[in-house]
Amino acid sequence: MFKTVKDVQDYCKANDVKMIDFKMVDINGRWRHITIPAVRFNEDTMVYGIGFDGSNYGYAPVEKSDMVFIPDLSTARIDPFVDELTLTMTGDVCIIDPKENRPFDQYPRNVALRANEYMKELGIADKMIIGPEFEFHLIDHISYQSDRNRVAYEIDTAQADWNTGVNDVQNFGYQVPKKGGYHISAPQDITYDLRSKICMMMEDWGIDVKYHHHEVGGSGQVEIEVELGEMTDMADKTMIIKYIVKNAAVKAGKTATFMPKPIYSEAGNGMHVHMLLFKDGKPVFYDENGYSGLSKEAHWFMGGLLKHAKSLCALTNPSTNSFKRLVPGFEAPVTIGYATSNRSAVIRIPAYAKSPDKKRFELRNPDATCNPYYAYSAILMAGLDGIKNKIDPEANGWGPYDFNLYTLSDEEKAKLDALPTTLDEALDALEADHDYLTAGGVFPEPLLKVWIKNKREEAKVINQIPHPAEFGFYYDL
């Protein structure tokens, strides 16, 4: 939005902006923020930054935990969810050095920037374009508790089929059937207006919206899809989208979750990532004579993704809940393979994307519990490894699977390679297979070690808590 400090100062004076808010990303992909009065913003802010204690953000220890946040003026926008008129912006984090501050190599945005630099150094491409699809639930009520004597959660939305029998308040009877919500219209689609408002807020923030609609899950599942964009910029926008969705929902008297599987036996929330590369303004992935119109570089890129699919899950699906979504029967991929127009494979090539500058494929396993900077960077690094080593997905037996993988016999399914079924399995894979991530100094080894350590601790805690369903199976034995 701005190029210089003076541009910011002039805008604040002309529009009576009171505060400037700086949003930073912790290791897990949550925004944290610090705010200053607008009159305090000056050239020193860009030189010396905003100091903070980085040890509280979860990264691997460094020799000094004192860090500085350096704003990116181009990301500035008015925050629509605060009372005092506030300009908000993201940026990058540096470690304080006596002579000159240096970029903190573990900071998510810096990892993404380095991944882009590495791609250019290899000469493979100069731009990675991606397009995430954002699936989430809009819910009326959520409560949860995990204590020694009580483990429970309750989730509710007025449109769910379990509310057809509600009789103590007025009931209009337009509930949505289980797994029957795909593109459902009003009056069943009760969040239509809210989604339109969310999309307009996204447009105001500089995010181009492709469309929005109700998704398969009858219990409040919806989707917003955005136009394709450059990788690091799209990681920024992923953070913004989640911020807008959650705050707009609360403002409308609802709550939003991007959890992969918030409701048992309903469709889960993925974050499918479409991708393509450009070099000197020309598409790298297009070849009219290749399978499904894709070039050999595109196939090698897919080969890299499929070779590293299991370890990638530790970054693209980094929650125990992620693997409750990655099960057969809910349009979530479980098979490591590729195909055209096939939603049951990890990689799907959309048949509708036909022009050279739109020819692409999508990775279908990621979900929005990921840190988008790490996830998108890891996807790029896996694909680059595929191109460097000319990993042919067909020669490796990963497809093309141009048939429904869910309908195969158990014997046929046993011949196919599958994604991890638990977070621990994904972390095991990442421990064994991460050289492609550290290539070019993109992912620092200490970052991966602390990531694995933190996620193993999360999984250990959750795995040790008795599950309510266990009482039904085992209490009377």
Side-chain angles (χ1 to χ4, degrees), residues 79-83 194 197 201 244-256:
D79 191 322
F81 300 109
V82 294
D83 292 334
L194 174 56
K197 289 178 182 178
M201 287 183 178
I244 291 174
V245 166
K246 288 183 281 189
N247 281 280
V250 169
K251 198 170 183 180
K254 293 184 179 290
T255 179

Side-chain angles (χ1 to χ4, degrees), residues 39 131 232 263 291 355 361 467:
V39 294
T232 305
I263 299 174
Y291 168 78
S355 63
F361 46 83
H467 191 287

